[in-house]
Amino acid sequence: MTATPYVVRPMVNRDSLFFWDGTRAGELRVQTCNACGAKRFPPGPACQSCDAYDRGYEVASGEGTVFSYVVHRHPPVPGKELPIVIALIDLDEGVRMVGEVVEAVDADGAATIDIGTRLRVDYRRVDDDLTLPIWRKA
Ligand SMILES: [Zn+2]
């Protein structure tokens, strides 16, 4: 798999603003389609199921399961002590998102999570504007 860690500030635009407002409020928000009810991540303007533009969101439970992961050892990531673990997480609500799993490597740098490991979201406040979701073993 390829996954891009949060090496730069995420793009915040009209479609994703609700998500970042959510993390700042301690909520993991998943975009929903008001027309057909489909959930989606990443957020976008139109529903991939029915093409409707009428969108909302729901607050996810913040729990999910590791679908896949990578231990990122190189190249260096500004502000990060490597290795870090980046996972694809299947939320219980049925959407998949990418995130950093903290405290997930042992002293030898091996991952301490596996496919299927249960995770729970947590939040890392970067500054007044940005709070990143991070994940821990549940
Ligand atoms: Zn739809």
Short mmCIF file of all heavy atoms in Angstrom, two decimals, residues 40-73:
data_model
loop_
_atom_site.label_atom_id
_atom_site.label_comp_id
_atom_site.label_asym_id
_atom_site.label_seq_id
_atom_site.Cartn_x
_atom_site.Cartn_y
_atom_site.Cartn_z
N ARG A 40 -19.05 8.63 3.20
CA ARG A 40 -17.85 8.60 2.37
C ARG A 40 -16.68 9.31 3.04
O ARG A 40 -16.84 10.23 3.83
CB ARG A 40 -18.11 9.20 0.99
CG ARG A 40 -18.61 10.65 1.01
CD ARG A 40 -18.97 11.06 -0.42
NE ARG A 40 -19.28 12.47 -0.56
CZ ARG A 40 -20.52 12.98 -0.52
NH1 ARG A 40 -21.55 12.19 -0.30
NH2 ARG A 40 -20.71 14.27 -0.68
N PHE A 41 -15.51 8.82 2.70
CA PHE A 41 -14.27 9.44 3.10
C PHE A 41 -13.25 9.13 2.02
O PHE A 41 -13.16 7.98 1.59
CB PHE A 41 -13.78 8.89 4.46
CG PHE A 41 -12.61 9.68 4.99
CD1 PHE A 41 -12.81 10.79 5.79
CD2 PHE A 41 -11.31 9.32 4.65
CE1 PHE A 41 -11.73 11.53 6.26
CE2 PHE A 41 -10.23 10.07 5.11
CZ PHE A 41 -10.44 11.16 5.92
N PRO A 42 -12.45 10.07 1.57
CA PRO A 42 -12.45 11.47 2.00
C PRO A 42 -13.68 12.22 1.53
O PRO A 42 -14.35 11.78 0.60
CB PRO A 42 -11.18 12.03 1.34
CG PRO A 42 -10.95 11.16 0.15
CD PRO A 42 -11.44 9.79 0.53
N PRO A 43 -13.93 13.38 2.16
CA PRO A 43 -15.09 14.17 1.77
C PRO A 43 -14.94 14.69 0.35
O PRO A 43 -13.83 14.92 -0.13
CB PRO A 43 -15.09 15.34 2.76
CG PRO A 43 -14.13 14.98 3.82
CD PRO A 43 -13.15 14.01 3.23
N GLY A 44 -16.05 14.89 -0.31
CA GLY A 44 -16.03 15.46 -1.65
C GLY A 44 -17.34 16.14 -1.91
O GLY A 44 -18.26 16.05 -1.11
N PRO A 45 -17.42 16.83 -3.04
CA PRO A 45 -18.64 17.60 -3.31
C PRO A 45 -19.85 16.74 -3.66
O PRO A 45 -20.97 17.08 -3.31
CB PRO A 45 -18.24 18.50 -4.48
CG PRO A 45 -17.07 17.83 -5.11
CD PRO A 45 -16.37 17.07 -4.02
N ALA A 46 -19.63 15.63 -4.36
CA ALA A 46 -20.77 14.86 -4.86
C ALA A 46 -20.75 13.43 -4.32
O ALA A 46 -19.69 12.86 -4.05
CB ALA A 46 -20.75 14.82 -6.38
N CYS A 47 -21.92 12.85 -4.16
CA CYS A 47 -22.04 11.48 -3.69
C CYS A 47 -21.59 10.51 -4.79
O CYS A 47 -22.00 10.63 -5.94
CB CYS A 47 -23.49 11.19 -3.32
SG CYS A 47 -23.78 9.49 -2.81
N GLN A 48 -20.77 9.55 -4.41
CA GLN A 48 -20.30 8.58 -5.39
C GLN A 48 -21.36 7.54 -5.71
O GLN A 48 -21.23 6.78 -6.67
CB GLN A 48 -19.01 7.93 -4.89
CG GLN A 48 -17.84 8.90 -4.93
CD GLN A 48 -16.70 8.53 -4.01
OE1 GLN A 48 -16.77 7.53 -3.30
NE2 GLN A 48 -15.66 9.33 -4.00
N SER A 49 -22.39 7.46 -4.88
CA SER A 49 -23.45 6.48 -5.12
C SER A 49 -24.56 7.05 -5.99
O SER A 49 -25.06 6.37 -6.88
CB SER A 49 -24.04 6.00 -3.80
OG SER A 49 -23.06 5.35 -3.03
N CYS A 50 -24.96 8.30 -5.70
CA CYS A 50 -26.14 8.82 -6.41
C CYS A 50 -25.89 10.19 -7.06
O CYS A 50 -26.81 10.76 -7.62
CB CYS A 50 -27.33 8.90 -5.46
SG CYS A 50 -27.25 10.27 -4.28
N ASP A 51 -24.67 10.71 -6.95
CA ASP A 51 -24.30 11.98 -7.59
C ASP A 51 -24.94 13.21 -6.97
O ASP A 51 -24.79 14.31 -7.49
CB ASP A 51 -24.59 11.97 -9.10
CG ASP A 51 -23.69 10.99 -9.84
OD1 ASP A 51 -22.56 10.77 -9.37
OD2 ASP A 51 -24.13 10.44 -10.87
N ALA A 52 -25.66 13.05 -5.87
CA ALA A 52 -26.30 14.22 -5.25
C ALA A 52 -25.24 15.11 -4.59
O ALA A 52 -24.19 14.63 -4.15
CB ALA A 52 -27.32 13.76 -4.21
N TYR A 53 -25.55 16.40 -4.53
CA TYR A 53 -24.64 17.35 -3.90
C TYR A 53 -25.08 17.72 -2.48
O TYR A 53 -24.38 18.45 -1.79
CB TYR A 53 -24.52 18.61 -4.75
CG TYR A 53 -23.65 18.43 -5.97
CD1 TYR A 53 -24.17 17.87 -7.13
CD2 TYR A 53 -22.31 18.79 -5.93
CE1 TYR A 53 -23.35 17.67 -8.24
CE2 TYR A 53 -21.50 18.61 -7.04
CZ TYR A 53 -22.02 18.05 -8.20
OH TYR A 53 -21.23 17.86 -9.28
N ASP A 54 -26.23 17.24 -2.07
CA ASP A 54 -26.77 17.58 -0.76
C ASP A 54 -26.07 16.71 0.28
O ASP A 54 -26.33 15.51 0.40
CB ASP A 54 -28.28 17.32 -0.76
CG ASP A 54 -28.92 17.75 0.55
OD1 ASP A 54 -28.24 18.38 1.39
OD2 ASP A 54 -30.11 17.43 0.75
N ARG A 55 -25.16 17.33 1.06
CA ARG A 55 -24.35 16.52 1.94
C ARG A 55 -24.40 17.02 3.38
O ARG A 55 -24.60 18.20 3.64
CB ARG A 55 -22.91 16.47 1.45
CG ARG A 55 -22.30 17.85 1.24
CD ARG A 55 -21.09 17.71 0.30
NE ARG A 55 -20.30 18.93 0.22
CZ ARG A 55 -20.52 19.89 -0.68
NH1 ARG A 55 -21.51 19.80 -1.55
NH2 ARG A 55 -19.74 20.95 -0.70
N GLY A 56 -24.18 16.09 4.28
CA GLY A 56 -24.13 16.41 5.69
C GLY A 56 -23.04 15.57 6.33
O GLY A 56 -22.11 15.14 5.65
N TYR A 57 -23.14 15.34 7.61
CA TYR A 57 -22.16 14.46 8.25
C TYR A 57 -22.79 13.83 9.48
O TYR A 57 -23.81 14.30 9.98
CB TYR A 57 -20.89 15.21 8.62
CG TYR A 57 -21.06 16.24 9.73
CD1 TYR A 57 -21.00 15.84 11.08
CD2 TYR A 57 -21.27 17.57 9.44
CE1 TYR A 57 -21.17 16.78 12.10
CE2 TYR A 57 -21.44 18.50 10.45
CZ TYR A 57 -21.39 18.11 11.77
OH TYR A 57 -21.55 19.01 12.78
N GLU A 58 -22.15 12.76 9.93
CA GLU A 58 -22.52 12.20 11.22
C GLU A 58 -21.24 12.06 12.04
O GLU A 58 -20.14 12.02 11.48
CB GLU A 58 -23.24 10.86 11.07
CG GLU A 58 -22.37 9.76 10.50
CD GLU A 58 -23.08 8.40 10.51
OE1 GLU A 58 -24.25 8.35 10.11
OE2 GLU A 58 -22.45 7.42 10.92
N VAL A 59 -21.38 12.01 13.33
CA VAL A 59 -20.23 11.84 14.21
C VAL A 59 -19.99 10.35 14.41
O VAL A 59 -20.88 9.63 14.87
CB VAL A 59 -20.46 12.55 15.56
CG1 VAL A 59 -19.27 12.33 16.49
CG2 VAL A 59 -20.70 14.04 15.34
N ALA A 60 -18.80 9.92 14.04
CA ALA A 60 -18.47 8.50 14.15
C ALA A 60 -18.17 8.14 15.60
O ALA A 60 -17.88 9.01 16.44
CB ALA A 60 -17.26 8.17 13.27
N SER A 61 -18.23 6.87 15.88
CA SER A 61 -17.94 6.38 17.24
C SER A 61 -16.48 6.59 17.60
O SER A 61 -16.11 6.64 18.78
CB SER A 61 -18.27 4.89 17.34
OG SER A 61 -17.39 4.15 16.51
N GLY A 62 -15.63 6.70 16.57
CA GLY A 62 -14.20 6.86 16.82
C GLY A 62 -13.49 5.53 17.05
O GLY A 62 -12.36 5.50 17.52
N GLU A 63 -14.16 4.45 16.68
CA GLU A 63 -13.53 3.13 16.80
C GLU A 63 -13.50 2.46 15.45
O GLU A 63 -14.38 2.67 14.61
CB GLU A 63 -14.30 2.28 17.81
CG GLU A 63 -14.22 2.89 19.20
CD GLU A 63 -14.82 1.98 20.27
OE1 GLU A 63 -14.86 0.76 20.07
OE2 GLU A 63 -15.25 2.52 21.30
N GLY A 64 -12.45 1.67 15.26
CA GLY A 64 -12.31 0.99 13.99
C GLY A 64 -11.29 -0.12 14.07
O GLY A 64 -10.78 -0.44 15.15
N THR A 65 -10.98 -0.68 12.91
CA THR A 65 -10.13 -1.85 12.80
C THR A 65 -9.06 -1.61 11.76
O THR A 65 -9.34 -1.01 10.72
CB THR A 65 -10.99 -3.07 12.39
OG1 THR A 65 -12.02 -3.25 13.35
CG2 THR A 65 -10.16 -4.33 12.31
N VAL A 66 -7.85 -2.07 12.04
CA VAL A 66 -6.75 -1.92 11.08
C VAL A 66 -7.03 -2.78 9.85
O VAL A 66 -7.19 -4.00 9.96
CB VAL A 66 -5.40 -2.34 11.71
CG1 VAL A 66 -4.29 -2.26 10.65
CG2 VAL A 66 -5.07 -1.45 12.90
N PHE A 67 -7.11 -2.13 8.69
CA PHE A 67 -7.26 -2.85 7.42
C PHE A 67 -5.88 -3.18 6.87
O PHE A 67 -5.64 -4.26 6.34
CB PHE A 67 -8.04 -2.00 6.43
CG PHE A 67 -8.07 -2.58 5.03
CD1 PHE A 67 -8.92 -3.62 4.72
CD2 PHE A 67 -7.23 -2.07 4.04
CE1 PHE A 67 -8.94 -4.16 3.44
CE2 PHE A 67 -7.25 -2.59 2.76
CZ PHE A 67 -8.11 -3.64 2.46
N SER A 68 -4.96 -2.24 6.99
CA SER A 68 -3.60 -2.39 6.48
C SER A 68 -2.75 -1.33 7.16
O SER A 68 -3.29 -0.35 7.68
CB SER A 68 -3.59 -2.19 4.96
OG SER A 68 -2.28 -2.31 4.45
N TYR A 69 -1.45 -1.51 7.16
CA TYR A 69 -0.61 -0.50 7.79
C TYR A 69 0.79 -0.58 7.23
O TYR A 69 1.18 -1.58 6.61
CB TYR A 69 -0.56 -0.67 9.33
CG TYR A 69 0.14 -1.92 9.77
CD1 TYR A 69 1.50 -1.91 10.10
CD2 TYR A 69 -0.53 -3.14 9.83
CE1 TYR A 69 2.15 -3.06 10.49
CE2 TYR A 69 0.11 -4.30 10.21
CZ TYR A 69 1.46 -4.25 10.54
OH TYR A 69 2.11 -5.41 10.91
N VAL A 70 1.55 0.47 7.46
CA VAL A 70 2.96 0.49 7.06
C VAL A 70 3.74 1.15 8.20
O VAL A 70 3.25 2.08 8.84
CB VAL A 70 3.15 1.23 5.72
CG1 VAL A 70 2.70 2.69 5.83
CG2 VAL A 70 4.59 1.17 5.26
N VAL A 71 4.92 0.61 8.47
CA VAL A 71 5.83 1.26 9.41
C VAL A 71 6.71 2.18 8.58
O VAL A 71 7.48 1.74 7.74
CB VAL A 71 6.69 0.24 10.19
CG1 VAL A 71 7.61 0.96 11.17
CG2 VAL A 71 5.79 -0.76 10.93
N HIS A 72 6.54 3.48 8.82
CA HIS A 72 7.28 4.46 8.03
C HIS A 72 8.61 4.76 8.72
O HIS A 72 8.63 5.33 9.81
CB HIS A 72 6.44 5.74 7.89
CG HIS A 72 7.10 6.79 7.06
ND1 HIS A 72 6.97 6.85 5.70
CD2 HIS A 72 7.92 7.81 7.40
CE1 HIS A 72 7.68 7.86 5.24
NE2 HIS A 72 8.27 8.46 6.24
N ARG A 73 9.72 4.35 8.04
CA ARG A 73 11.06 4.53 8.63
C ARG A 73 11.85 5.61 7.90
O ARG A 73 12.80 6.15 8.44
CB ARG A 73 11.83 3.22 8.56
CG ARG A 73 11.13 2.07 9.24
CD ARG A 73 11.87 0.74 9.00
NE ARG A 73 11.02 -0.38 9.33
CZ ARG A 73 10.76 -0.79 10.57
NH1 ARG A 73 11.32 -0.18 11.59
NH2 ARG A 73 9.96 -1.80 10.78
#
